[in-house]
Amino acid sequence: MKSSILIVSAVTMVLTGGTAWADPEQYGYGGHMMGGYGHGVLGGAVMILFWIAAIVCTVLAIRWLSQNGGNGKRSSALDILQERLARGDIDSDEYQNRKKALEG
């Protein structure tokens, strides 16, 4: 799980860091904020929407990767109980007792 979080964080930093590496003088923007996207309210609104989208995508990616080891599949209690029976961790009597407890 920790490696998944590190990967998502690294990808997010690389994708959002492009504007910080840009040289505004190279493209004739004159070094002012939001050079090619407008000024004032419009430029600020675009910036706010961008960061909201980046944060939401990062949170959703971390949640998705953290579910059950990153495979995105959640196991119910009954699924886990069936797996334990299949592995031989419990016998059929124990399985039936626990199944009744889960259902009731």
Side-chain angles (χ1 to χ4, degrees), residues 10 15-16 22 28 31 63 69 84 86-87 93 97:
L15 291 177
T16 60
R63 282 187 179 179
R84 290 185 64 200
R87 282 194 310 252
D93 293 332
N97 291 336

Side-chain angles (χ1 to χ4, degrees), residues 1-13:
M1 183 173 133
K2 288 182 181 182
S3 62
S4 300
I5 292 173
L6 288 175
I7 291 170
V8 170
S9 299
V11 168
T12 302
M13 283 190 277

Side-chain angles (χ1 to χ4, degrees), residues 32-35 37-48:
H32 52 82
M33 186 173 166
M34 299 299 291
Y37 301 105
H39 300 284
V41 176
L42 180 61
V46 170
M47 183 184 297
I48 289 170

Side-chain angles (χ1 to χ4, degrees), residues 5 12 22 26-27 32 37-38 41 44 47 60 72 76 78 92 100:
I5 292 173
T12 302
Q26 179 181 0
Y27 300 106
H32 52 82
Y37 301 105
V41 176
M47 183 184 297
L60 290 176
S76 69
L78 190 57
S92 61
K100 285 179 187 176

Side-chain angles (χ1 to χ4, degrees), residues 39-78:
H39 300 284
V41 176
L42 180 61
V46 170
M47 183 184 297
I48 289 170
L49 290 175
F50 170 78
W51 284 110
I52 288 172
I55 291 168
V56 167
C57 289
T58 302
V59 168
L60 290 176
I62 290 172
R63 282 187 179 179
W64 181 73
L65 289 171
S66 67
Q67 291 176 355
N68 197 14
N71 66 5
K73 178 186 170 196
R74 287 188 169 175
S75 296
S76 69
L78 190 57

